[in-house]
Amino acid sequence: MAYKCIVLIKQVPDTSRITGEAMNEDGTVNRGALPAIFNPEDLNALELALEIKEKYGGSVTAVTMGLPSASEVLREALFMGADDAVLVTDRRCAASDTLATSYILTRAAEKIGCDLVLCGRQAIDGDTAQVGPQMAEKLDMPQITYVEEVHELTPSRIVCRRNMGNGWQRTACKLPVLLTVTDQANEPRIGAARRIMKYKNAKTPAEISKEGGSDEDIREMKNKGLLIGQLNLDDVQADLQWCGRDGSPTKVHRIMSVVLTAKESKEVDSSAQGINDMVHELIEDHTIG
Amino acid sequence: MGNFFTDNDDLRFVLNNMDLRGLSSLTEQGYKFADKFDYAPASAEEAIQNYNMVMESLGQLCSDFIAPRSEEMDRQGNTLTEDGRVERPEAMDEILDKLAKADVMGMTLPYRFGGLNFPTTILSVANEMISRADASLMNIFGLQGIAETINSFASEEIKQEYLHDLAAGRKTGAMVLTEPDAGSDLQVCKVKAFQDSSGQWYLHGVKRFITNGCGEVLLVMARSEHDRKDGLGLSLFVCHSGPTVKIRRIEDKMGIHASPTCEIYFDNTPCKLIGETRRGLVTYVMALMNGARIGISAQSVGIGEAAYRVARDYAASREQFGGPIEHLPAVRDMVVEMKIDVEESRALLYETCRVVDMEIGLTRITESDDFSKEEQKDAKKQLRMIKRYAAMLTPMSKYLSTEMSNKVAYDSIQVLAGSGFMRDYPTEQYYRDARITTIYEGTTQLQIVACVRGVCNGTAQKYIEELADFQFDPELQEMLDILKQNRETMDECIKHIKQQSMEYMDLYGRRIVDIAIKIICGYLFCRQASGAADMEIPTAKEGETVSMKKRKAVIAKRYINRNAAVIKALAEQILQGDKSTFEDYEEIAGPVPELV
Amino acid sequence: MIEVNRQGEVWVFAEQHLGKVEDIAFELLGRARELADKLGVKVGAVIAGDSIKSVCEELIQYGADKVYTVENNLLEHYQTNSYTKVLCALIEKHKPQIVLYGASPVGRDLAPRVASKMKAGLTADCTDLQIGNHEIKKTGEKHENLLLQIRPAFGGNIIATIINYDRWPQMATVREGVMPMPEPDSKRKGEVIDESVSLSAEDLPIEIIEEVRREKSVNLKASRIIVAGGAGVGSKENFRMIWDLANALGGVPAATRAAADLGYIGKDYQVGQTGTTVRPSLYIAIGLSGAIQHQAGMSESKKIIAVNNDPDAPIFDVAHYKVCGDLNEVVPQMIKAVKEKV
């Protein structure tokens, strides 16, 4: 039996490196000032998919929704061992919240087809952990969240161990299924040298065109196995009312920065008043409370 | 997330200033492999991109996966089970699995066996980073030379049988040379190789101190000519581990705890002959050892780098007497010396790699049918000197780097003082791990013997002449003048030594080799300060940067100025010709003491 | 999704395990009560399970006006699909304007599934909820009395306030321990409403083979707030203060190596070079000088408060709030201030 796995990955700003300099004056984050990285738990999901492929056979397709530059994480997925990579990119995806994102990715997953969908438990930019379960609902699949190990896999049944925070569960269900994977699941491998040497040249059609390549060049890249798939909303037959801003029920009301600028510090009077003021300030900026 | 490649400015600077285009053109033989293998580079740009990308990827594994497991592996060590299996620390198995999946266990092997066809230079970068993360691991990772030896000298049948598995990391190997009575003096090896009536070879006897002797592929030196007691009676064999290969014990060592050191008993083990009989030691093992020496040199640079970093960090953050201890002159001086020591060894290491890669590349040209007679003739001509340079620089680099790693690890503990002596910090492990480097793959004393002839027979002078022939930055003129005087001093010493006996040359070998190294590295620093590829790097002052070339000019100045006096002192000792070591040994050493 | 419904109730999904309601549900009821009072609507608690009747009264005591119960032996164990079906059926029937879930493993598994099925908005992991107005700058369109869903994002570096003004219900998961637990009022009256949702085997695609729950052991890395004591705390008894402050803040206690070595607290709680490395939102360092070895394990915390009577203690070099004074006075005052304000 060969299992077709889709792994959903996301390119995220490296929030662990945020300093005062990465904040705009209005309190929003200057994404450009942060390195873009492969979302850490998506690496765990990809590793798990690759282990499944090595143990049980099948294929792994990495899928991401994002800007054209998100092709970078897809190349990394190819370095690690993904068989295919697909970029879902469209200006009309902009401002999608988790619900709209899950809709668009569901359309893409349905077009590609799969037995298993894997994704990281959550992404470090939003920490919402919502897109996975939201997709599972739309795909009409059961979901197993917080997976840390796959114990057993047959064409009709998967058994996983889930990390429940205050304990664990061993659960089983039929395929197809969607798994969200935690960083406890494994230690992701690094890119394989021979794959790096080959797939460093992999590109999306948009990237080839941007460099002045013709349709002929795109075909040639495809023949060499170096073409990264690219889908827009029309390709996945998405209903635009569920995409982008229109498809997103949640909106941003306000953003506030809480990063202290370098070495900003205060002497606090050890009197009752001093302590009260400090506690009050920490409640104000949501550090506590 | 860290990265042992991208965080190492000196390493990248040295690499950027090497002629990687020329190097890749040699190893890729004109990029002819691109047609056959979809991952082989089609141009120099692509080859260099490959080197950088693979090293960056490995650098991340070293920093984020391997280094954090080093302490645990050091504590666990290896154990020998009752049924004779060696159990590695769990983390070691995980790491080897990750390395295998990363395709880096056959870095220098040809593409057709699944290798990456990388030059020795790049393997050394990998060895350096791996060792910085965990010195023990390098002893297994760095055994890629075994596959290289098979590739260079064995039959196609043997290559097919072994190389695919080694390149894929499915199997690891061991160089099985040392015996209880044959350490530095390998020509007295006793393990017997014999043939049955069908011509099948077998091995019988005991080998000792075998790094990773529990590996699956064993390259064994054994006596095939039973009537000859010398090195010409030895041949090289390869065999698989199996029931007739018994691990009798594993050593309880001072350092590199995670690297298993085994005693092996071969109980009539079937094996295959590599190449021809009688060439085992003189040709094959010599080649193997040269590669291994470069590996240990890289291992030492990695340990030195790791030890320096901990000391540097501590010196900046530990406060005593009202400020960070790096403000104290004595500590400050130690930090600077350590840093320059590491960069000195690295400069010589990669220069050695460059020459060795030239040697390998040119040798391939002379052996390949793809090149014209004219080209082959040209290659042969170049090879003559290159071979002599490689033979001198390899032991020189091994000597310099391994002694450096011991000194830097020692000083690192000194900077951390009490804390450095405690197991809370990694410095004591670096110190224990460094200690073996001046011993295995030939002791420091043997390295000196191996290179002192090159220093005294004109090779060094010729080589230095080539080094000096470079478009140096005019600002360095004063330094170049000093180096020129140093060379005259060296010439004088060599002349004096040659007038004495061979014994005298060995007695003063280390001193004359030191002089040669200080001159060579002085030129290498000057070359770095005049190199084509520069980069801006941060200085210790927050927010300030400096050009790497300018920094290297500063280092060259300090290095050459300070060493001028050292060279003078060494020369005086050589010329003075004190022979009390020979003449007064009995009086000074006294009787052999009784050990209670 | 349901239409905007200003009369809709404020709901809390009452998570229970083996008939015992989880603390997070009571925490949510406390805040739901405040929100509902502001909006002039009722608070509803939704509870599903096998035998759950006995806990309805408890939910009322903590602030629910109505308890919607769905009792069915198929609901004995939480399962994504069956619970999703129950929640969606009740939401469609009663059209609440707000639905709150705990950001627990269960809540974060369930809420997005419900949101997806309802095509409604959901904000994850909120640390605060308020009622407020929103104006769309471009059109001048005004929306009043919305649920302001306040949450940290970008690794805790920003605080975002999220709203949902058209596709209701307004839903959020709320981090455990950030909202104060209300005092139960045994005199409160409320209504228990039995609901039934038909379920079949198809709604239970998951088989739970084995389950192990353990008392929460210390997880310093995952803690947003850490209160660390050093040898300066003085004694094991005195270390009780560290626990009290940590409890008041919903954080966890920790210690330096010296304090752990003195037996004030277990080794699991040790932060530093040889202990755990942490980077919480708030690190309160009490009676510890801040040796490099300790700083190595905590200097990347978002905010650091240091309490020490030595003005030259190195810990002050990395602290954002420097309290120079006697910890025996400062810490009780902090506990008092936190209890009053939060």
Side-chain angles (χ1 to χ4, degrees), chain A residues 125-127 134 137 141 143 145-146 157 166 168 170 172 251 253-254 256 266 268 281 285 287, chain C residues 105 108-109 113 116 134 151 154 159 161 163 207 209-210 212 214 224 303 320-322 337:
Chain A
D125 52 349
D127 291 325
Q134 284 173 327
E137 170 64 31
M141 286 182 191
Q143 70 198 40
T145 46
Y146 329 123
R157 184 177 148 100
N166 58 348
W168 54 268
R170 214 148 65 88
K251 312 277 195 279
H253 173 66
R254 197 158 65 127
M256 238 170 59
K266 282 184 184 163
V268 177
E281 207 175 300
D285 70 11
T287 300
Chain C
R108 298 184 95 192
D109 183 83
R113 190 100 192 190
S116 185
H134 179 73
R151 69 181 304 260
F154 261 76
I159 297 286
T161 305
I163 43 144
E207 177 197 345
I209 301 169
E210 200 182 350
V212 172
R214 53 164 198 268
R224 267 182 71 242
K303 280 190 186 160
H320 302 105
Y321 294 91
K322 309 171 178 183

Short mmCIF file of all heavy atoms in Angstrom, two decimals, chain A residues 125-127 134 137 141 143 145-146 157 166 168 170 172 251 253-254 256 266 268 281 285 287, chain C residues 105 108-109 113 116 134 151 154 159 161 163 207 209-210 212 214 224 303 320-322 337:
data_model
loop_
_atom_site.label_atom_id
_atom_site.label_comp_id
_atom_site.label_asym_id
_atom_site.label_seq_id
_atom_site.Cartn_x
_atom_site.Cartn_y
_atom_site.Cartn_z
N ASP A 125 3.80 32.51 13.86
CA ASP A 125 3.41 33.92 13.74
C ASP A 125 2.05 34.17 14.37
O ASP A 125 1.81 35.21 14.96
CB ASP A 125 3.45 34.39 12.28
CG ASP A 125 2.65 33.49 11.35
OD1 ASP A 125 2.24 32.38 11.79
OD2 ASP A 125 2.43 33.88 10.20
N GLY A 126 1.13 33.21 14.24
CA GLY A 126 -0.19 33.41 14.80
C GLY A 126 -0.50 32.54 15.99
O GLY A 126 -1.30 32.88 16.85
N ASP A 127 0.16 31.38 16.08
CA ASP A 127 -0.10 30.42 17.16
C ASP A 127 -1.58 30.04 17.27
O ASP A 127 -2.07 29.81 18.37
CB ASP A 127 0.35 30.98 18.52
CG ASP A 127 1.86 31.10 18.63
OD1 ASP A 127 2.55 30.24 18.07
OD2 ASP A 127 2.33 32.05 19.27
N GLN A 134 -9.91 23.21 10.87
CA GLN A 134 -10.88 23.84 9.96
C GLN A 134 -10.88 23.14 8.60
O GLN A 134 -11.93 22.94 7.99
CB GLN A 134 -10.58 25.34 9.80
CG GLN A 134 -11.02 26.14 11.03
CD GLN A 134 -10.60 27.59 10.99
OE1 GLN A 134 -9.54 27.92 10.47
NE2 GLN A 134 -11.40 28.46 11.56
N GLU A 137 -12.63 19.64 8.76
CA GLU A 137 -14.08 19.76 8.66
C GLU A 137 -14.49 19.90 7.19
O GLU A 137 -15.39 19.22 6.72
CB GLU A 137 -14.53 20.97 9.49
CG GLU A 137 -15.98 21.39 9.31
CD GLU A 137 -16.97 20.32 9.77
OE1 GLU A 137 -16.63 19.57 10.71
OE2 GLU A 137 -18.06 20.23 9.17
N MET A 141 -13.06 14.99 6.86
CA MET A 141 -12.18 13.93 7.37
C MET A 141 -12.17 14.02 8.89
O MET A 141 -12.31 15.10 9.45
CB MET A 141 -10.71 14.19 6.96
CG MET A 141 -10.39 13.92 5.53
SD MET A 141 -8.62 14.25 5.30
CE MET A 141 -8.54 14.20 3.52
N GLN A 143 -10.06 14.22 12.36
CA GLN A 143 -8.77 14.84 12.63
C GLN A 143 -8.17 14.21 13.88
O GLN A 143 -8.89 13.84 14.80
CB GLN A 143 -8.95 16.34 12.86
CG GLN A 143 -9.66 16.68 14.18
CD GLN A 143 -10.22 18.09 14.20
OE1 GLN A 143 -10.76 18.57 13.20
NE2 GLN A 143 -10.09 18.76 15.33
N THR A 145 -5.43 15.61 16.37
CA THR A 145 -4.55 16.74 16.66
C THR A 145 -3.46 16.34 17.65
O THR A 145 -3.58 15.35 18.35
CB THR A 145 -5.36 17.91 17.26
OG1 THR A 145 -6.23 17.38 18.27
CG2 THR A 145 -6.20 18.61 16.20
N TYR A 146 -2.40 17.13 17.68
CA TYR A 146 -1.27 16.98 18.62
C TYR A 146 -0.60 15.59 18.53
O TYR A 146 -0.26 14.99 19.53
CB TYR A 146 -1.70 17.22 20.08
CG TYR A 146 -2.82 18.22 20.26
CD1 TYR A 146 -3.99 17.87 20.92
CD2 TYR A 146 -2.70 19.51 19.75
CE1 TYR A 146 -5.02 18.79 21.09
CE2 TYR A 146 -3.74 20.42 19.90
CZ TYR A 146 -4.89 20.06 20.57
OH TYR A 146 -5.91 20.95 20.73
N ARG A 157 -6.68 1.91 8.51
CA ARG A 157 -6.63 2.34 9.90
C ARG A 157 -5.28 2.96 10.26
O ARG A 157 -4.23 2.48 9.85
CB ARG A 157 -6.85 1.09 10.78
CG ARG A 157 -6.93 1.33 12.27
CD ARG A 157 -7.24 -0.03 12.89
NE ARG A 157 -6.64 -0.16 14.21
CZ ARG A 157 -7.33 0.00 15.34
NH1 ARG A 157 -8.60 0.31 15.29
NH2 ARG A 157 -6.74 -0.16 16.51
N ASN A 166 -1.88 17.34 29.49
CA ASN A 166 -1.88 16.73 30.83
C ASN A 166 -1.98 15.21 30.73
O ASN A 166 -2.56 14.56 31.58
CB ASN A 166 -3.04 17.27 31.66
CG ASN A 166 -4.37 17.00 31.00
OD1 ASN A 166 -4.40 16.61 29.82
ND2 ASN A 166 -5.45 17.19 31.72
N TRP A 168 -1.72 11.67 27.71
CA TRP A 168 -1.71 11.32 26.29
C TRP A 168 -2.83 10.34 25.99
O TRP A 168 -3.43 9.75 26.89
CB TRP A 168 -0.37 10.77 25.87
CG TRP A 168 0.12 9.62 26.70
CD1 TRP A 168 0.90 9.68 27.81
CD2 TRP A 168 -0.18 8.23 26.50
NE1 TRP A 168 1.12 8.43 28.31
CE2 TRP A 168 0.48 7.52 27.53
CE3 TRP A 168 -0.91 7.52 25.54
CZ2 TRP A 168 0.40 6.13 27.63
CZ3 TRP A 168 -0.98 6.13 25.64
CH2 TRP A 168 -0.32 5.45 26.69
N ARG A 170 -4.08 7.29 22.99
CA ARG A 170 -3.80 6.52 21.77
C ARG A 170 -5.13 6.37 21.06
O ARG A 170 -6.09 5.87 21.63
CB ARG A 170 -3.22 5.16 22.11
CG ARG A 170 -2.21 4.67 21.10
CD ARG A 170 -1.15 3.82 21.77
NE ARG A 170 -1.74 2.61 22.32
CZ ARG A 170 -1.88 1.47 21.62
NH1 ARG A 170 -1.48 1.41 20.36
NH2 ARG A 170 -2.41 0.41 22.18
N ALA A 172 -7.37 5.79 17.22
CA ALA A 172 -7.31 5.17 15.89
C ALA A 172 -8.48 5.67 15.06
O ALA A 172 -9.52 6.06 15.61
CB ALA A 172 -7.40 3.64 16.02
N LYS A 251 -11.59 40.30 11.79
CA LYS A 251 -10.86 41.48 11.30
C LYS A 251 -10.01 42.02 12.45
O LYS A 251 -10.34 41.83 13.63
CB LYS A 251 -11.84 42.58 10.87
CG LYS A 251 -12.98 42.12 9.97
CD LYS A 251 -12.56 42.05 8.51
CE LYS A 251 -13.72 41.96 7.56
NZ LYS A 251 -14.31 40.63 7.39
N HIS A 253 -8.89 44.80 14.84
CA HIS A 253 -9.41 46.04 15.39
C HIS A 253 -8.24 46.95 15.78
O HIS A 253 -8.24 48.13 15.52
CB HIS A 253 -10.25 45.70 16.63
CG HIS A 253 -10.72 46.88 17.42
ND1 HIS A 253 -11.61 47.80 16.94
CD2 HIS A 253 -10.41 47.28 18.69
CE1 HIS A 253 -11.84 48.72 17.87
NE2 HIS A 253 -11.12 48.42 18.94
N ARG A 254 -7.23 46.36 16.39
CA ARG A 254 -6.11 47.15 16.88
C ARG A 254 -4.90 46.25 17.11
O ARG A 254 -5.03 45.08 17.44
CB ARG A 254 -6.50 47.77 18.23
CG ARG A 254 -5.62 48.91 18.67
CD ARG A 254 -6.37 49.76 19.68
NE ARG A 254 -6.62 48.99 20.88
CZ ARG A 254 -6.29 49.41 22.10
NH1 ARG A 254 -5.70 50.57 22.26
NH2 ARG A 254 -6.57 48.68 23.16
N MET A 256 -1.04 46.32 19.12
CA MET A 256 -0.21 47.06 20.06
C MET A 256 1.10 46.31 20.24
O MET A 256 1.13 45.10 20.34
CB MET A 256 -0.91 47.08 21.42
CG MET A 256 -1.19 48.45 21.96
SD MET A 256 -2.26 48.27 23.40
CE MET A 256 -1.28 47.26 24.47
N LYS A 266 13.26 50.31 34.48
CA LYS A 266 12.72 51.25 35.46
C LYS A 266 13.16 50.87 36.85
O LYS A 266 13.18 49.69 37.20
CB LYS A 266 11.19 51.17 35.44
CG LYS A 266 10.58 51.88 34.28
CD LYS A 266 9.08 51.83 34.40
CE LYS A 266 8.49 52.47 33.16
NZ LYS A 266 7.11 52.15 32.95
N VAL A 268 11.95 50.69 40.47
CA VAL A 268 10.64 50.67 41.11
C VAL A 268 10.82 50.91 42.60
O VAL A 268 11.64 50.24 43.24
CB VAL A 268 9.92 49.33 40.85
CG1 VAL A 268 8.59 49.30 41.57
CG2 VAL A 268 9.74 49.10 39.37
N GLU A 281 0.78 48.44 35.74
CA GLU A 281 1.36 48.60 34.40
C GLU A 281 1.42 47.27 33.66
O GLU A 281 1.15 47.18 32.46
CB GLU A 281 2.78 49.16 34.58
CG GLU A 281 3.27 49.96 33.41
CD GLU A 281 4.63 50.59 33.71
OE1 GLU A 281 4.71 51.37 34.68
OE2 GLU A 281 5.58 50.28 32.98
N ASP A 285 -0.46 46.29 30.05
CA ASP A 285 0.15 45.82 28.80
C ASP A 285 -0.03 44.31 28.60
O ASP A 285 0.62 43.70 27.77
CB ASP A 285 1.62 46.23 28.70
CG ASP A 285 2.53 45.50 29.68
OD1 ASP A 285 2.07 44.52 30.30
OD2 ASP A 285 3.68 45.90 29.84
N THR A 287 0.82 41.75 30.22
CA THR A 287 1.82 40.77 30.62
C THR A 287 1.22 39.83 31.66
O THR A 287 1.45 38.63 31.65
CB THR A 287 3.06 41.47 31.22
OG1 THR A 287 3.60 42.31 30.21
CG2 THR A 287 4.09 40.47 31.66
N PRO C 105 -6.39 21.67 25.17
CA PRO C 105 -6.27 20.75 24.04
C PRO C 105 -7.63 20.41 23.43
O PRO C 105 -7.76 20.33 22.21
CB PRO C 105 -5.59 19.53 24.65
CG PRO C 105 -4.76 20.10 25.77
CD PRO C 105 -5.59 21.23 26.32
N ARG C 108 -9.20 23.71 21.71
CA ARG C 108 -8.51 24.08 20.47
C ARG C 108 -8.70 23.04 19.38
O ARG C 108 -8.38 23.27 18.23
CB ARG C 108 -7.02 24.29 20.74
CG ARG C 108 -6.76 25.42 21.71
CD ARG C 108 -5.28 25.68 21.87
NE ARG C 108 -4.86 26.74 20.96
CZ ARG C 108 -3.60 27.03 20.69
NH1 ARG C 108 -2.63 26.34 21.22
NH2 ARG C 108 -3.29 28.02 19.88
N ASP C 109 -9.17 21.88 19.76
CA ASP C 109 -9.49 20.84 18.80
C ASP C 109 -10.91 21.05 18.26
O ASP C 109 -11.18 20.85 17.09
CB ASP C 109 -9.39 19.47 19.50
CG ASP C 109 -9.62 18.29 18.56
OD1 ASP C 109 -8.67 17.89 17.89
OD2 ASP C 109 -10.77 17.78 18.53
N ARG C 113 -13.16 23.49 14.48
CA ARG C 113 -14.02 22.59 13.71
C ARG C 113 -15.44 23.17 13.64
O ARG C 113 -16.07 23.18 12.58
CB ARG C 113 -14.01 21.21 14.38
CG ARG C 113 -14.64 20.12 13.60
CD ARG C 113 -13.62 19.27 12.88
NE ARG C 113 -14.30 18.41 11.92
CZ ARG C 113 -13.74 17.41 11.27
NH1 ARG C 113 -12.46 17.14 11.46
NH2 ARG C 113 -14.42 16.69 10.42
N SER C 116 -15.42 26.21 11.40
CA SER C 116 -15.36 25.84 9.99
C SER C 116 -16.72 25.41 9.49
O SER C 116 -17.16 25.80 8.41
CB SER C 116 -14.33 24.72 9.82
OG SER C 116 -14.14 24.41 8.47
N HIS C 134 -16.49 49.37 17.00
CA HIS C 134 -15.51 49.36 15.93
C HIS C 134 -16.03 50.19 14.77
O HIS C 134 -17.21 50.12 14.42
CB HIS C 134 -15.27 47.92 15.44
CG HIS C 134 -14.28 47.84 14.32
ND1 HIS C 134 -12.94 48.04 14.50
CD2 HIS C 134 -14.45 47.60 12.99
CE1 HIS C 134 -12.31 47.91 13.34
NE2 HIS C 134 -13.21 47.64 12.41
N ARG C 151 -5.52 39.18 22.10
CA ARG C 151 -4.59 38.05 22.18
C ARG C 151 -3.18 38.47 21.78
O ARG C 151 -2.99 39.35 20.95
CB ARG C 151 -5.03 36.92 21.25
CG ARG C 151 -4.88 37.26 19.77
CD ARG C 151 -5.35 36.11 18.92
NE ARG C 151 -4.66 34.89 19.24
CZ ARG C 151 -3.64 34.40 18.52
NH1 ARG C 151 -3.20 35.02 17.45
NH2 ARG C 151 -3.05 33.29 18.87
N PHE C 154 2.61 36.89 17.23
CA PHE C 154 4.02 37.08 16.87
C PHE C 154 4.93 36.75 18.04
O PHE C 154 5.77 37.54 18.44
CB PHE C 154 4.26 38.52 16.39
CG PHE C 154 4.30 38.61 14.92
CD1 PHE C 154 3.12 38.55 14.20
CD2 PHE C 154 5.49 38.70 14.24
CE1 PHE C 154 3.13 38.59 12.82
CE2 PHE C 154 5.52 38.74 12.86
CZ PHE C 154 4.34 38.69 12.16
N ILE C 159 0.17 42.65 20.75
CA ILE C 159 -1.15 42.29 21.25
C ILE C 159 -2.14 42.72 20.18
O ILE C 159 -2.19 43.90 19.81
CB ILE C 159 -1.47 43.04 22.56
CG1 ILE C 159 -0.48 42.64 23.65
CG2 ILE C 159 -2.91 42.80 22.99
CD1 ILE C 159 -0.71 41.26 24.22
N THR C 161 -6.09 42.96 18.78
CA THR C 161 -7.50 42.91 19.15
C THR C 161 -8.28 42.58 17.89
O THR C 161 -8.17 43.26 16.88
CB THR C 161 -7.97 44.26 19.73
OG1 THR C 161 -7.11 44.58 20.82
CG2 THR C 161 -9.40 44.17 20.20
N ILE C 163 -11.93 41.42 15.93
CA ILE C 163 -13.38 41.54 16.03
C ILE C 163 -14.02 40.75 14.89
O ILE C 163 -13.34 40.35 13.94
CB ILE C 163 -13.84 43.01 15.92
CG1 ILE C 163 -13.05 43.68 14.79
CG2 ILE C 163 -13.63 43.75 17.23
CD1 ILE C 163 -13.82 44.65 14.03
N GLU C 207 -11.51 5.98 17.51
CA GLU C 207 -11.54 5.00 18.59
C GLU C 207 -10.45 5.39 19.59
O GLU C 207 -9.29 5.55 19.21
CB GLU C 207 -11.24 3.61 18.01
CG GLU C 207 -11.17 2.50 19.03
CD GLU C 207 -10.48 1.25 18.47
OE1 GLU C 207 -10.32 1.15 17.23
OE2 GLU C 207 -10.09 0.41 19.29
N ILE C 209 -8.17 4.25 22.15
CA ILE C 209 -7.69 2.93 22.57
C ILE C 209 -7.19 2.98 24.01
O ILE C 209 -7.39 2.06 24.79
CB ILE C 209 -6.53 2.48 21.65
CG1 ILE C 209 -7.01 2.42 20.19
CG2 ILE C 209 -5.99 1.13 22.09
CD1 ILE C 209 -5.89 2.26 19.19
N GLU C 210 -6.54 4.05 24.35
CA GLU C 210 -5.90 4.13 25.66
C GLU C 210 -5.77 5.60 26.01
O GLU C 210 -5.53 6.44 25.14
CB GLU C 210 -4.50 3.52 25.52
CG GLU C 210 -3.87 3.09 26.82
CD GLU C 210 -2.46 2.54 26.57
OE1 GLU C 210 -2.08 2.35 25.41
OE2 GLU C 210 -1.75 2.34 27.57
N VAL C 212 -4.14 8.24 29.15
CA VAL C 212 -3.49 8.43 30.44
C VAL C 212 -3.49 9.91 30.76
O VAL C 212 -3.06 10.73 29.96
CB VAL C 212 -2.03 7.92 30.39
CG1 VAL C 212 -1.29 8.30 31.68
CG2 VAL C 212 -2.01 6.42 30.20
N ARG C 214 -2.33 12.68 33.61
CA ARG C 214 -1.48 12.78 34.79
C ARG C 214 -1.62 14.19 35.35
O ARG C 214 -1.94 15.13 34.65
CB ARG C 214 -0.03 12.47 34.47
CG ARG C 214 0.50 13.27 33.32
CD ARG C 214 2.01 13.24 33.24
NE ARG C 214 2.40 14.37 32.38
CZ ARG C 214 2.56 14.28 31.07
NH1 ARG C 214 2.44 13.16 30.45
NH2 ARG C 214 2.88 15.34 30.36
N ARG C 224 4.10 31.01 30.83
CA ARG C 224 4.19 32.41 30.43
C ARG C 224 4.78 33.26 31.54
O ARG C 224 5.37 34.29 31.30
CB ARG C 224 2.79 32.93 30.10
CG ARG C 224 2.40 32.84 28.66
CD ARG C 224 1.01 33.42 28.45
NE ARG C 224 1.02 34.87 28.60
CZ ARG C 224 0.34 35.55 29.52
NH1 ARG C 224 -0.36 34.92 30.43
NH2 ARG C 224 0.38 36.86 29.56
N LYS C 303 9.97 40.12 29.78
CA LYS C 303 10.09 41.13 30.82
C LYS C 303 10.64 40.49 32.08
O LYS C 303 10.27 39.37 32.43
CB LYS C 303 8.72 41.75 31.11
CG LYS C 303 8.40 42.79 30.07
CD LYS C 303 7.20 43.60 30.40
CE LYS C 303 6.92 44.50 29.20
NZ LYS C 303 5.56 44.98 29.20
N HIS C 320 14.04 44.64 33.67
CA HIS C 320 13.30 45.79 33.16
C HIS C 320 12.69 46.58 34.32
O HIS C 320 12.54 47.78 34.24
CB HIS C 320 12.19 45.32 32.21
CG HIS C 320 12.73 44.53 31.05
ND1 HIS C 320 12.60 43.18 30.95
CD2 HIS C 320 13.44 44.93 29.97
CE1 HIS C 320 13.19 42.76 29.84
NE2 HIS C 320 13.70 43.79 29.23
N TYR C 321 12.32 45.88 35.38
CA TYR C 321 11.82 46.54 36.58
C TYR C 321 12.76 46.16 37.72
O TYR C 321 12.95 44.97 38.01
CB TYR C 321 10.41 46.06 36.91
CG TYR C 321 9.38 46.47 35.89
CD1 TYR C 321 9.06 45.65 34.82
CD2 TYR C 321 8.70 47.69 36.00
CE1 TYR C 321 8.12 46.01 33.86
CE2 TYR C 321 7.75 48.07 35.06
CZ TYR C 321 7.46 47.23 34.00
OH TYR C 321 6.53 47.60 33.08
N LYS C 322 13.35 47.18 38.33
CA LYS C 322 14.32 46.91 39.38
C LYS C 322 13.71 47.32 40.72
O LYS C 322 13.47 48.50 40.95
CB LYS C 322 15.58 47.73 39.15
CG LYS C 322 16.15 47.59 37.75
CD LYS C 322 17.27 48.59 37.52
CE LYS C 322 17.85 48.39 36.13
NZ LYS C 322 18.97 49.27 35.86
N ALA C 337 -1.15 43.13 45.68
CA ALA C 337 -1.48 43.98 44.53
C ALA C 337 -2.08 43.15 43.40
O ALA C 337 -3.08 43.55 42.77
CB ALA C 337 -0.23 44.71 44.04
#
